Amino acid sequence: MLDFPLWKRGWFWGLTLALTALALPSIFSLSGARWPAALPDPEVNLGLDLAGGSHILLEADPAEVASQRLRNMEESVRSTLRRAEPSVGFGDVSTADGRLSFMVESVADVDRARSLLEPLLNGEGLVREWNLSVVDETRIVLTPTEAGLEAAVNAAMDSSQDVIDRRINALGTREPTIIRQGENRIVVQVPGLQDPQQVKELVGRTAKLEFKLVNENALQTDLAQGIAEPGQQIFPYAADSGFAGQNVAVYRLGGIDGGSLIRAQASRNQDNQDVVVIQFDQQGGNRFAKLTSENVGKQFAIILDGEVISAPVIQDRILSGVSEISGNFTPESAQQLAISLQSGALPVDLTVVEERTVGPDLGAESIRLGLLAMLVGSIAVVTLMIASYGRFGVYATIALVFNVLMILGIMALMNTTLTLPGIAGFVLTIGAAVDANVLINERIREERKRGRRVIAAVENGYREASRAIFDANITNFIAGVLLFMFGTGPIRGFAVVLVIGLFTSVFTAVSLTRMWVAGWLRRARPQDLNI
Amino acid sequence: MKLLKLVPDDTNIKFLRWRVPFYVVSILLIAASWGLVLTKGLNYGVDFAGGLNITATFTESTQAPVGELRETVADLGYGEPIVQRFGEDNQVSIRVPLPDSAEGNPEAAQNIANAIVAELEAGFADFRLDGNENVSGKVSDEFRSDAAFALIAAMLAVALYIWIRFEWQFGVGALFALFHDVSLTLGMFALFQLEFSLQIIAAILAIIGYSLNDTIVVYDRIRENLKKYRKMPTPELLDLSVNETLARTVMTSLTLLIALVPLLLFGPASLFGMVAAITLGIFVGTYSSVYMAAPILIWLGVDSHSFVPGETDADKQEKVARGEV
């Protein structure tokens, strides 16, 4: 029991020192010192509640993804059947109940339509994404499959994440975190940010840009009632466009969207207005040239996320594929719009469902006060431990220091984040480590009192106390794992520290101290213990 | 050097003599706690209630103008704000419930937050915005159910483990002690209307962890003594076990308190609620290990036969074969 062969000592010390070394960069940066850049620096991230910054939780509505998917399918079906040679006649298209259904005009064409559509039904992963059935001889019904919908939501979220990533990175902010959470959520965390509003505007904007021709003859009174002529659509003016409250009727067909943009940049025009200059790719440029040359003197609406930001008159044809978007922009809002357009439109609307901002002042204050209080507390604890258990108290104290360092080291290695609830986990872990040493030392006292010899008392002390320590730690471990599995953010933050801490506290409080005590017993061969 | 001994050797305090009155009082306290939680309700922070929370410091003042703040925000017409001092005297948290129209409409919620901050910045020269939280009703509902589920799942799993490692009575006892601790903590939060947030859940988890440690240390000693003193009556044996572990209990609780009190006194405001709850939990958890977890073993019928392997069918057959029955 008190026998520690060389290999065991080497392995204990190696593990302890390695994990302690991993903690050093974090200690350095917490204390404000600089870690040499030449050395690797795994570091514990500080949660936003400690370091200051913004946390934004965005949510997509899966129903929206589904309906968009249905609209796309409708488009594909229409063009597939029309382009077939000879084309397939169809009508009575409906997208009610999340299904697409239409009638094929002649019974003879049903089978041909079916085989034409077959390639549209499977997704990339060879998952059946749509089921096709024929009812009443000529009606074809396409129903999305569960797996297909899931894949669509998944793909939409993945590309949303990319888009957000590009937008946030364009801000030049340091180390933003953008992660998927659950099925349809994305967490955006930006540490140390001065203006969370800016981030929110960037990520909350879909940035779906459309250019559509305006029907200048439409009456505002009709538009206000939502009455549009066939083939036209009504859009409201944006609140800051100068025409708030008014509406515009545009032609559905013949427009261009922002999908073919290759560049967007904030700039100023001759009239010293803030504008966003955009450039289309080859194909988009050609279409833009066609649109402008055929409609000189007419008005076209620039629609962003379903709102008209301006509706200028086409002065001249634009062949270069370069255009400018004017609106009531400030330099900042022009910059933001440019970033959003440049990084592409979000495939789905995202809404902010949770937002937390902690000012950097408060965060820094929290850390300073927290560290100070911990220091005062630690000194008091150490004093009490040494006064009560003498040499054994010294061992326990050193073990405790290693324990804290090793937890930080493992957290740095795993790249986890320390948050306020994590500090509660720390407190509990340190409590558990202190408790383990108290249990052992009290046991040794007891064994001595019963008249056991020094070596036997120490051995028994460790053995008897280990049972309770083991049981207590396993129970807490079980609790920690369950909390991690079922808890949300802060609870998980607690659970991570708890679980890591349980391992390190058992190792330091039981194994390390035993090694030191054994070494001392061997060297000094004491006849009595002062405990 | 003479070492410090907080608890003298060989204490023989009859802890369990008062077990029945203590139990009655505790059960009444549990009932009162739940009564308070159900009638007065918990003062949910934005994590659990949804809504807006603005924290601010008045950098030039020694006292935050709580009354004026309340009026200023109430005049904006978004409902009655809860303005609380938070940490230092010049720091406040301002909680505003969202009107139904803004529920599930994050943009509206955001506009309200902006309007309030703008108004406060205009009205108070030394207003410094420290933080701003905005949680939609949907997310806060999820937080609530997730937290409750995680807590209950963890407690049940822990009880199951103790049942397997000890005996079923011990599992029930530990579960009861945890239930006691959680109930009393909730009751305290309801009584003083302290803000109840996700951080407090983390604190309650720490309390559960601490109380479990305590309970298991006592249980471990009971198990040991049950095997050692086969003839000792159970109440006496429990007293002996509690006395034998008393030095450890005092020492551990004291060291933890020593570590927590500075955090409570000088620690950051954001930690106050959490640290206060853990500090309270150390008292409650220690008490419950002795007065809730131990006596219940008497009533659940733990005695010297526990932890002794029962007679199996094979034993019986052997006895029959030897003609002993």
Coordinates of all heavy atoms in Angstrom, one line a residue, chain A residues 276-349:
Chain A
V276 N -23.8 51.3 -51.7 CA -23.1 50.0 -51.8 C -22.9 49.6 -53.2 O -23.8 49.6 -54.0 CB -23.9 48.9 -51.1 CG1 -23.2 47.5 -51.2 CG2 -24.1 49.2 -49.6
V277 N -21.7 49.4 -53.6 CA -21.4 49.1 -55.0 C -21.3 47.6 -55.1 O -20.7 46.9 -54.3 CB -20.0 49.7 -55.4 CG1 -19.7 49.2 -56.9 CG2 -20.1 51.2 -55.4
I278 N -22.1 47.1 -56.1 CA -22.1 45.6 -56.3 C -21.6 45.3 -57.7 O -21.7 46.0 -58.6 CB -23.5 45.0 -56.0 CG1 -24.5 45.7 -57.0 CG2 -23.9 45.2 -54.6 CD1 -25.8 45.1 -57.0
Q279 N -21.1 44.0 -57.8 CA -20.7 43.6 -59.1 C -21.2 42.2 -59.3 O -21.1 41.3 -58.4 CB -19.2 43.6 -59.2 CG -18.7 43.1 -60.5 CD -17.2 43.2 -60.7 OE1 -16.5 43.5 -59.7 NE2 -16.7 43.0 -61.8
F280 N -21.9 42.0 -60.5 CA -22.4 40.7 -60.8 C -21.4 39.8 -61.5 O -20.4 40.3 -62.1 CB -23.6 40.8 -61.7 CG -24.8 41.4 -61.1 CD1 -25.2 42.7 -61.3 CD2 -25.6 40.6 -60.2 CE1 -26.3 43.2 -60.7 CE2 -26.7 41.1 -59.6 CZ -27.0 42.5 -59.8
D281 N -21.6 38.5 -61.5 CA -20.7 37.6 -62.3 C -21.1 37.7 -63.7 O -22.1 38.4 -64.1 CB -20.8 36.2 -61.7 CG -22.2 35.6 -61.8 OD1 -23.0 36.2 -62.5 OD2 -22.4 34.5 -61.2
Q282 N -20.5 37.0 -64.6 CA -20.7 37.1 -66.0 C -22.2 36.9 -66.4 O -22.8 37.8 -67.0 CB -19.9 35.9 -66.7 CG -19.9 36.0 -68.2 CD -19.1 37.2 -68.7 OE1 -18.0 37.4 -68.2 NE2 -19.6 37.9 -69.7
Q283 N -22.8 35.8 -65.9 CA -24.2 35.6 -66.3 C -25.1 36.6 -65.7 O -26.0 37.2 -66.4 CB -24.5 34.2 -65.7 CG -25.6 33.5 -66.4 CD -26.1 32.3 -65.7 OE1 -25.5 31.9 -64.7 NE2 -27.1 31.7 -66.1
G284 N -24.9 36.9 -64.4 CA -25.7 38.0 -63.8 C -25.6 39.3 -64.5 O -26.5 40.1 -64.7
G285 N -24.3 39.6 -64.9 CA -24.0 40.9 -65.5 C -24.8 41.0 -66.9 O -25.3 42.0 -67.2
N286 N -24.8 39.9 -67.6 CA -25.5 39.9 -68.9 C -27.0 40.1 -68.7 O -27.6 40.9 -69.4 CB -25.3 38.5 -69.6 CG -23.9 38.3 -70.1 OD1 -23.2 39.3 -70.2 ND2 -23.5 37.1 -70.4
R287 N -27.5 39.5 -67.7 CA -29.0 39.6 -67.4 C -29.3 41.0 -67.0 O -30.3 41.6 -67.3 CB -29.5 38.6 -66.4 CG -29.5 37.2 -67.0 CD -29.9 36.2 -65.9 NE -31.3 36.5 -65.5 CZ -31.8 35.9 -64.4 NH1 -31.1 35.1 -63.7 NH2 -33.0 36.2 -64.0
F288 N -28.3 41.6 -66.2 CA -28.5 43.0 -65.7 C -28.5 43.9 -66.8 O -29.2 44.9 -66.9 CB -27.5 43.3 -64.6 CG -27.8 44.5 -63.8 CD1 -28.9 44.5 -62.9 CD2 -27.0 45.6 -63.8 CE1 -29.2 45.6 -62.2 CE2 -27.3 46.7 -63.1 CZ -28.4 46.7 -62.2
A289 N -27.5 43.7 -67.8 CA -27.4 44.5 -68.9 C -28.7 44.5 -69.7 O -29.2 45.5 -70.2 CB -26.2 44.1 -69.8
K290 N -29.2 43.3 -69.9 CA -30.5 43.1 -70.7 C -31.6 43.9 -70.0 O -32.4 44.6 -70.6 CB -30.8 41.6 -70.8 CG -31.9 41.2 -71.7 CD -31.8 39.8 -72.1 CE -33.1 39.4 -72.9 NZ -34.1 38.7 -72.0
L291 N -31.7 43.7 -68.7 CA -32.8 44.3 -67.9 C -32.7 45.8 -68.1 O -33.7 46.5 -68.3 CB -32.7 43.9 -66.4 CG -33.7 44.5 -65.5 CD1 -35.0 43.8 -65.5 CD2 -33.2 44.5 -64.0
T292 N -31.5 46.4 -67.9 CA -31.4 47.8 -67.9 C -31.6 48.4 -69.4 O -32.2 49.4 -69.5 CB -30.1 48.3 -67.4 OG1 -29.0 47.5 -68.0 CG2 -30.0 48.1 -65.9
S293 N -31.0 47.7 -70.3 CA -31.1 48.3 -71.7 C -32.6 48.2 -72.2 O -33.0 49.1 -73.0 CB -30.2 47.6 -72.7 OG -30.1 46.2 -72.5
E294 N -33.3 47.2 -71.8 CA -34.7 47.1 -72.3 C -35.7 48.1 -71.5 O -36.8 48.2 -71.9 CB -35.2 45.7 -72.1 CG -34.7 44.8 -73.2 CD -35.0 43.3 -72.9 OE1 -35.7 43.0 -72.0 OE2 -34.5 42.4 -73.7
N295 N -35.2 48.6 -70.4 CA -36.1 49.4 -69.6 C -35.7 50.7 -69.2 O -36.0 51.2 -68.1 CB -36.5 48.5 -68.3 CG -37.2 47.2 -68.6 OD1 -38.3 47.2 -69.1 ND2 -36.4 46.1 -68.5
V296 N -34.9 51.4 -70.0 CA -34.4 52.7 -69.7 C -35.6 53.6 -69.5 O -36.6 53.6 -70.2 CB -33.5 53.3 -70.8 CG1 -33.2 54.7 -70.6 CG2 -32.2 52.4 -71.0
G297 N -35.5 54.4 -68.4 CA -36.6 55.4 -68.2 C -37.6 54.8 -67.2 O -38.5 55.5 -66.7
K298 N -37.5 53.5 -67.0 CA -38.5 52.9 -66.1 C -37.9 52.7 -64.7 O -36.7 52.8 -64.5 CB -38.9 51.5 -66.6 CG -39.8 51.6 -67.8 CD -40.3 50.2 -68.2 CE -41.0 50.3 -69.6 NZ -41.1 49.0 -70.2
Q299 N -38.8 52.5 -63.8 CA -38.3 52.4 -62.4 C -38.1 50.9 -62.0 O -38.8 50.0 -62.4 CB -39.5 52.9 -61.5 CG -39.1 53.8 -60.3 CD -40.3 54.1 -59.5 OE1 -41.4 53.9 -59.9 NE2 -40.0 54.6 -58.3
F300 N -37.0 50.6 -61.3 CA -36.9 49.3 -60.8 C -36.6 49.3 -59.3 O -36.0 50.3 -58.8 CB -35.9 48.4 -61.6 CG -34.4 48.7 -61.2 CD1 -33.6 47.8 -60.6 CD2 -33.8 49.9 -61.6 CE1 -32.3 48.0 -60.4 CE2 -32.5 50.2 -61.3 CZ -31.7 49.2 -60.7
A301 N -37.2 48.3 -58.6 CA -37.1 48.3 -57.2 C -35.9 47.5 -56.7 O -35.7 46.4 -57.2 CB -38.4 47.8 -56.6
I302 N -35.2 48.0 -55.7 CA -34.1 47.2 -55.1 C -34.7 46.7 -53.8 O -35.1 47.5 -52.9 CB -32.9 48.1 -54.8 CG1 -32.4 48.6 -56.1 CG2 -31.8 47.2 -54.1 CD1 -31.3 49.6 -56.0
I303 N -34.9 45.4 -53.7 CA -35.6 44.8 -52.6 C -34.7 44.0 -51.7 O -34.0 43.1 -52.2 CB -36.8 43.9 -53.1 CG1 -37.7 44.7 -54.0 CG2 -37.6 43.3 -51.9 CD1 -38.5 43.8 -54.9
L304 N -34.6 44.3 -50.4 CA -33.8 43.6 -49.5 C -34.6 43.0 -48.4 O -35.4 43.7 -47.7 CB -32.8 44.6 -48.9 CG -31.8 44.0 -47.9 CD1 -30.8 43.1 -48.7 CD2 -31.0 45.0 -47.2
D305 N -34.5 41.7 -48.4 CA -35.3 41.0 -47.4 C -36.8 41.4 -47.3 O -37.4 41.6 -46.3 CB -34.7 41.2 -46.0 CG -33.3 40.6 -45.8 OD1 -33.0 39.7 -46.7 OD2 -32.6 41.0 -44.9
G306 N -37.4 41.5 -48.5 CA -38.8 41.7 -48.6 C -39.2 43.1 -48.4 O -40.4 43.4 -48.3
E307 N -38.2 44.1 -48.3 CA -38.6 45.5 -48.2 C -37.8 46.3 -49.3 O -36.7 46.0 -49.5 CB -38.2 46.0 -46.8 CG -39.0 45.5 -45.7 CD -38.7 46.1 -44.4 OE1 -37.6 46.7 -44.3 OE2 -39.5 46.0 -43.4
V308 N -38.5 47.3 -49.8 CA -37.9 48.1 -50.9 C -37.0 49.1 -50.2 O -37.5 49.9 -49.4 CB -39.0 48.8 -51.7 CG1 -38.4 49.6 -52.8 CG2 -39.9 47.7 -52.3
I309 N -35.7 49.1 -50.6 CA -34.9 50.1 -50.0 C -34.8 51.3 -50.8 O -34.6 52.4 -50.4 CB -33.4 49.6 -49.6 CG1 -32.8 48.8 -50.7 CG2 -33.5 48.7 -48.4 CD1 -31.4 48.4 -50.4
S310 N -34.9 51.1 -52.2 CA -35.0 52.3 -53.0 C -35.6 51.8 -54.4 O -35.5 50.6 -54.7 CB -33.7 53.0 -53.2 OG -32.8 52.2 -53.8
A311 N -36.1 52.7 -55.2 CA -36.7 52.3 -56.5 C -36.3 53.4 -57.5 O -37.1 54.2 -57.9 CB -38.2 52.2 -56.4
P312 N -35.0 53.4 -57.9 CA -34.5 54.4 -58.8 C -35.0 54.2 -60.2 O -35.4 53.1 -60.6 CB -33.0 54.3 -58.7 CG -32.8 52.8 -58.3 CD -33.9 52.5 -57.5
V313 N -35.0 55.3 -61.0 CA -35.3 55.1 -62.4 C -34.0 54.7 -63.2 O -32.9 55.3 -62.9 CB -35.8 56.5 -62.9 CG1 -36.0 56.4 -64.5 CG2 -37.1 56.9 -62.2
I314 N -34.2 53.8 -64.1 CA -33.0 53.4 -64.9 C -32.6 54.5 -65.8 O -33.3 54.9 -66.7 CB -33.3 52.1 -65.6 CG1 -33.7 51.0 -64.7 CG2 -32.0 51.7 -66.5 CD1 -34.1 49.7 -65.3
Q315 N -31.4 55.1 -65.6 CA -31.0 56.3 -66.4 C -30.4 55.8 -67.7 O -30.6 56.4 -68.7 CB -29.9 57.1 -65.6 CG -30.3 57.5 -64.3 CD -31.4 58.6 -64.3 OE1 -31.7 59.1 -65.4 NE2 -32.0 58.9 -63.1
D316 N -29.7 54.7 -67.7 CA -28.9 54.3 -68.8 C -28.7 52.8 -68.7 O -28.8 52.3 -67.6 CB -27.6 55.1 -68.8 CG -27.0 55.1 -70.2 OD1 -27.6 54.4 -71.1 OD2 -26.0 55.7 -70.4
R317 N -28.4 52.2 -69.8 CA -28.1 50.8 -69.7 C -26.8 50.5 -69.0 O -25.8 51.3 -69.2 CB -28.2 50.1 -71.0 CG -27.4 50.7 -72.1 CD -27.9 50.4 -73.4 NE -26.8 50.7 -74.4 CZ -26.3 49.9 -75.3 NH1 -26.8 48.7 -75.4 NH2 -25.4 50.3 -76.1
I318 N -26.7 49.5 -68.2 CA -25.5 49.2 -67.5 C -24.9 47.9 -68.0 O -25.5 46.8 -67.8 CB -25.8 49.1 -66.0 CG1 -26.5 50.4 -65.5 CG2 -24.5 48.8 -65.2 CD1 -27.0 50.3 -64.1
L319 N -23.8 48.0 -68.7 CA -23.2 46.8 -69.4 C -22.1 46.2 -68.5 O -21.7 45.1 -68.8 CB -22.7 47.2 -70.7 CG -23.8 47.8 -71.7 CD1 -23.2 48.2 -73.0 CD2 -24.9 46.7 -71.9
S320 N -21.6 47.0 -67.6 CA -20.4 46.6 -66.9 C -20.7 45.5 -65.8 O -19.7 44.9 -65.3 CB -19.7 47.8 -66.2 OG -20.7 48.3 -65.3
G321 N -21.9 45.3 -65.5 CA -22.2 44.4 -64.4 C -22.0 45.0 -63.1 O -22.0 44.3 -62.1
V322 N -21.6 46.3 -63.1 CA -21.4 46.9 -61.8 C -22.5 47.9 -61.6 O -22.9 48.7 -62.5 CB -20.1 47.7 -61.8 CG1 -19.9 48.5 -60.5 CG2 -18.9 46.7 -62.0
S323 N -23.1 48.0 -60.4 CA -24.2 48.9 -60.1 C -24.0 49.4 -58.7 O -23.2 48.8 -57.9 CB -25.5 48.1 -60.3 OG -26.6 49.0 -59.8
E324 N -24.8 50.4 -58.4 CA -24.7 50.8 -57.0 C -26.1 50.8 -56.4 O -27.1 51.1 -57.1 CB -24.1 52.2 -56.8 CG -24.8 53.3 -57.5 CD -24.1 54.7 -57.3 OE1 -22.9 54.7 -57.4 OE2 -24.8 55.6 -57.0
I325 N -26.2 50.5 -55.1 CA -27.5 50.5 -54.4 C -27.5 51.7 -53.5 O -26.6 51.9 -52.7 CB -27.6 49.3 -53.5 CG1 -27.5 48.0 -54.4 CG2 -28.9 49.2 -52.8 CD1 -27.4 46.8 -53.6
S326 N -28.5 52.6 -53.7 CA -28.5 53.7 -52.8 C -29.8 53.6 -51.9 O -30.7 52.9 -52.3 CB -28.7 55.0 -53.7 OG -29.8 54.9 -54.5
G327 N -29.7 54.2 -50.8 CA -30.8 54.2 -49.9 C -30.5 55.2 -48.9 O -29.6 56.0 -49.1
N328 N -31.1 55.3 -47.8 CA -30.7 56.2 -46.8 C -29.7 55.7 -45.9 O -29.9 55.4 -44.7 CB -31.9 56.7 -45.9 CG -32.5 58.0 -46.5 OD1 -31.8 58.7 -47.1 ND2 -33.8 58.2 -46.2
F329 N -28.5 55.4 -46.5 CA -27.5 54.8 -45.7 C -26.6 55.7 -44.9 O -26.4 56.9 -45.3 CB -26.5 54.0 -46.6 CG -27.2 52.9 -47.3 CD1 -27.1 52.7 -48.7 CD2 -27.9 51.9 -46.6 CE1 -27.7 51.7 -49.4 CE2 -28.6 50.9 -47.3 CZ -28.4 50.8 -48.7
T330 N -26.1 55.2 -43.8 CA -25.0 55.9 -43.1 C -23.8 55.1 -43.5 O -23.9 54.0 -44.0 CB -25.2 55.8 -41.6 OG1 -25.2 54.4 -41.2 CG2 -26.5 56.4 -41.1
P331 N -22.6 55.6 -43.2 CA -21.4 54.9 -43.6 C -21.4 53.5 -42.9 O -21.1 52.5 -43.5 CB -20.2 55.7 -43.0 CG -20.8 57.1 -42.9 CD -22.2 57.0 -42.7
E332 N -21.9 53.4 -41.7 CA -21.9 52.1 -41.0 C -22.9 51.2 -41.6 O -22.6 50.0 -41.8 CB -22.3 52.3 -39.5 CG -21.2 52.9 -38.6 CD -21.2 54.4 -38.8 OE1 -22.3 55.0 -39.1 OE2 -20.1 55.0 -38.7
S333 N -24.1 51.7 -41.9 CA -25.1 50.7 -42.4 C -24.8 50.3 -43.8 O -25.1 49.2 -44.2 CB -26.5 51.4 -42.3 OG -26.6 52.5 -43.2
A334 N -24.1 51.2 -44.6 CA -23.7 50.8 -45.9 C -22.6 49.6 -45.8 O -22.7 48.7 -46.5 CB -23.1 52.0 -46.6
Q335 N -21.7 49.8 -44.8 CA -20.7 48.8 -44.6 C -21.3 47.5 -44.2 O -21.0 46.4 -44.7 CB -19.8 49.3 -43.4 CG -18.7 48.4 -43.0 CD -17.7 48.2 -44.1 OE1 -17.5 49.1 -44.9 NE2 -17.1 47.1 -44.2
Q336 N -22.3 47.6 -43.3 CA -23.0 46.3 -42.9 C -23.7 45.6 -44.0 O -23.6 44.4 -44.2 CB -24.0 46.6 -41.8 CG -23.3 46.6 -40.4 CD -24.3 47.0 -39.3 OE1 -25.5 46.9 -39.6 NE2 -23.8 47.3 -38.2
L337 N -24.4 46.4 -44.8 CA -25.1 45.8 -45.9 C -24.1 45.2 -46.9 O -24.3 44.1 -47.4 CB -25.9 46.9 -46.7 CG -26.7 46.4 -47.9 CD1 -27.6 45.2 -47.5 CD2 -27.5 47.5 -48.6
A338 N -23.0 45.9 -47.1 CA -22.0 45.3 -48.0 C -21.5 44.0 -47.5 O -21.4 43.0 -48.3 CB -20.8 46.3 -48.2
I339 N -21.2 43.9 -46.2 CA -20.7 42.7 -45.6 C -21.7 41.6 -45.8 O -21.4 40.4 -46.2 CB -20.3 42.8 -44.1 CG1 -19.2 43.7 -44.0 CG2 -20.1 41.5 -43.5 CD1 -18.8 44.0 -42.5
S340 N -23.0 41.9 -45.5 CA -24.0 40.9 -45.6 C -24.2 40.4 -47.0 O -24.3 39.2 -47.3 CB -25.4 41.5 -45.2 OG -25.2 42.0 -43.9
L341 N -24.2 41.3 -48.0 CA -24.3 40.9 -49.4 C -23.1 40.1 -49.9 O -23.3 39.1 -50.5 CB -24.5 42.1 -50.3 CG -25.8 42.9 -50.1 CD1 -25.8 44.2 -51.0 CD2 -27.0 42.0 -50.5
Q342 N -22.0 40.5 -49.5 CA -20.8 39.8 -49.9 C -20.7 38.4 -49.4 O -20.3 37.5 -50.1 CB -19.5 40.6 -49.3 CG -18.2 40.0 -49.6 CD -17.7 40.4 -51.0 OE1 -17.7 41.6 -51.3 NE2 -17.2 39.4 -51.7
S343 N -21.2 38.2 -48.2 CA -21.1 36.8 -47.6 C -22.3 36.0 -48.0 O -22.4 34.8 -47.6 CB -21.0 36.9 -46.1 OG -22.0 37.8 -45.6
G344 N -23.2 36.5 -48.8 CA -24.3 35.7 -49.4 C -25.5 35.7 -48.5 O -25.4 36.1 -47.3
A345 N -26.6 35.4 -49.0 CA -27.9 35.4 -48.3 C -28.0 34.2 -47.4 O -27.5 33.1 -47.7 CB -29.1 35.5 -49.3
L346 N -28.6 34.4 -46.3 CA -28.9 33.2 -45.4 C -30.0 32.4 -46.1 O -30.9 33.0 -46.7 CB -29.5 33.7 -44.1 CG -28.5 34.3 -43.1 CD1 -29.2 34.8 -41.9 CD2 -27.5 33.2 -42.7
P347 N -29.9 31.1 -46.1 CA -30.9 30.3 -46.8 C -32.2 30.3 -46.1 O -33.2 29.8 -46.6 CB -30.3 28.9 -46.8 CG -29.3 28.9 -45.7 CD -28.8 30.3 -45.6
V348 N -32.2 30.7 -44.9 CA -33.4 30.7 -44.1 C -33.4 31.9 -43.1 O -32.3 32.3 -42.7 CB -33.6 29.3 -43.4 CG1 -32.4 29.1 -42.5 CG2 -34.8 29.2 -42.6
D349 N -34.6 32.4 -42.8 CA -34.6 33.5 -41.8 C -34.2 33.0 -40.4 O -34.6 31.9 -40.0 CB -36.0 34.1 -41.7 CG -36.3 35.0 -42.8 OD1 -35.4 35.5 -43.4 OD2 -37.5 35.3 -43.0

